[in-house]
Amino acid sequence: KAFDLVHTLKGETMTLGLGRLSKSSVILCEQLRYEIYGEEMLQQFQKVRKDYEKTIEIIRKYRDSQQ
């Protein structure tokens, strides 16, 4: 289940050209694909989360500037 969700995130971010989030989700996707669990994967999950939050922040700022 986690792999499917991260794989979808990876695909969507690549399609939209969301570089930072795309790069971090690619790494997490590969860790899940090859079952590389542990501290390294948890750190990558936190990186994806941080990149996601930053991406949302940028989108909201852009949206608010257009109103």
Side-chain angles (χ1 to χ4, degrees):
K1 178 98 178 166
F3 172 80
D4 292 338
L5 294 171
V6 174
H7 190 265
T8 299
L9 177 65
K10 177 187 84 163
E12 294 297 326
T13 58
M14 291 178 83
T15 298
L16 294 170
L18 302 174
R20 179 183 297 159
L21 182 54
S22 177
K23 288 176 187 175
S24 61
S25 63
V26 165
I27 294 168
L28 182 58
C29 188
E30 292 306 300
Q31 288 174 325
L32 289 168
R33 180 189 313 271
Y34 295 108
E35 299 180 357
I36 302 170
Y37 303 125
E39 186 62 31
E40 187 177 335
M41 190 212 50
L42 292 174
Q43 289 175 356
Q44 189 61 33
F45 173 78
Q46 291 301 323
K47 172 95 171 88
V48 170
R49 185 176 180 172
K50 178 182 165 192
D51 293 345
Y52 175 83
E53 290 170 356
K54 181 67 175 172
T55 300
I56 294 300
E57 178 185 330
I58 291 167
I59 291 169
R60 286 184 176 145
K61 283 182 181 180
Y62 176 77
R63 178 199 63 195
D64 293 346
S65 74
Q66 300 301 306
Q67 294 179 355

